[in-house]
Amino acid sequence: MISGKRYHTGFISVYDFINHIYILCPKCSNRAEVLSDAKDRVHTRMTCVHCGMNQQWMTDEEPKAILVGKPVDCYFRYPVWLQCVVGEEILFAYNYKHLTFLEQFITARLRERSKDQYGWRNNSLQSRLPAWMLSAKNRIRLLKAIDKLKKK
């Protein structure tokens, strides 16, 4: 929930953003999409409306491990579309919903956490963001980069 300059949320996971990922098409370098079944994530398709390339990823296995801090999708390992260099780091988002989450979290002056029925959690997305993203000294550069990605 966003209220002024405060950010308070319940548990948000990276899994909330990986059912629809924008990637760089390996054939034509335009934006392609990876869509997965929200229920089991084992029926996944990559399609590019620009060149017609498509691939299907169907298996009984769970998706590959999400590479924390790596701007690739967790199914085909293609580079994500929404990425740019910020200083010496790479800012990336899986889709515009993920980008909005990052923007709201970065702009918040006060970031609050609360316990749930299991106590304090350390596996939420916001608790796993890298320190360079949380630093106030990078806020302006990050917000400029996010604006650039929103226009992409």
Side-chain angles (χ1 to χ4, degrees):
M1 168 177 35
I2 302 299
S3 173
K5 297 291 182 187
R6 295 173 72 152
Y7 184 85
H8 178 78
T9 183
F11 182 77
I12 294 177
S13 167
V14 71
Y15 291 101
D16 295 328
F17 302 111
I18 64 169
N19 290 333
H20 188 179
I21 302 172
Y22 298 130
I23 62 164
L24 184 71
C25 178
K27 187 173 179 182
C28 71
S29 297
N30 284 305
R31 187 183 89 183
E33 298 182 9
V34 175
L35 298 169
S36 66
D37 185 336
K39 294 178 185 169
D40 60 13
R41 292 189 177 94
V42 296
H43 305 291
T44 303
R45 178 176 293 281
M46 184 281 289
T47 57
C48 178
V49 296
H50 302 282
C51 70
M53 181 178 178
N54 67 63
Q55 288 182 325
Q56 197 166 5
W57 189 75
M58 289 183 66
T59 179
D60 291 335
E61 300 173 11
E62 282 293 312
K64 297 175 185 174
I66 295 169
L67 297 174
V68 176
K70 303 293 182 192
V72 296
D73 79 276
C74 57
Y75 302 98
F76 301 100
R77 299 285 197 227
Y78 292 133
V80 296
W81 176 255
L82 297 170
Q83 65 172 295
C84 67
V85 176
V86 178
E88 296 180 10
E89 305 291 345
I90 296 177
L91 171 68
F92 72 93
Y94 292 117
N95 53 42
Y96 290 107
K97 182 179 172 186
H98 185 203
L99 191 62
T100 300
F101 162 80
L102 292 172
E103 180 180 38
Q104 291 173 341
F105 193 79
I106 290 166
T107 58
R109 302 267 184 226
L110 178 61
R111 299 169 184 147
E112 297 178 326
R113 291 176 57 195
S114 61
K115 293 181 185 180
D116 62 10
Q117 71 235 26
Y118 304 108
W120 292 103
R121 287 196 182 196
N122 194 27
N123 59 352
S124 65
L125 182 57
Q126 55 272 43
S127 71
R128 295 298 181 174
L129 291 175
W132 68 271
M133 270 190 183
L134 304 176
S135 174
K137 71 179 183 177
N138 293 325
R139 183 175 285 140
I140 293 171
R141 289 192 306 170
L142 281 165
L143 293 175
K144 285 180 183 178
I146 288 171
D147 281 341
K148 179 182 171 183
L149 290 177
K150 285 164 72 174
K151 295 174 185 171
K152 193 170 182 181

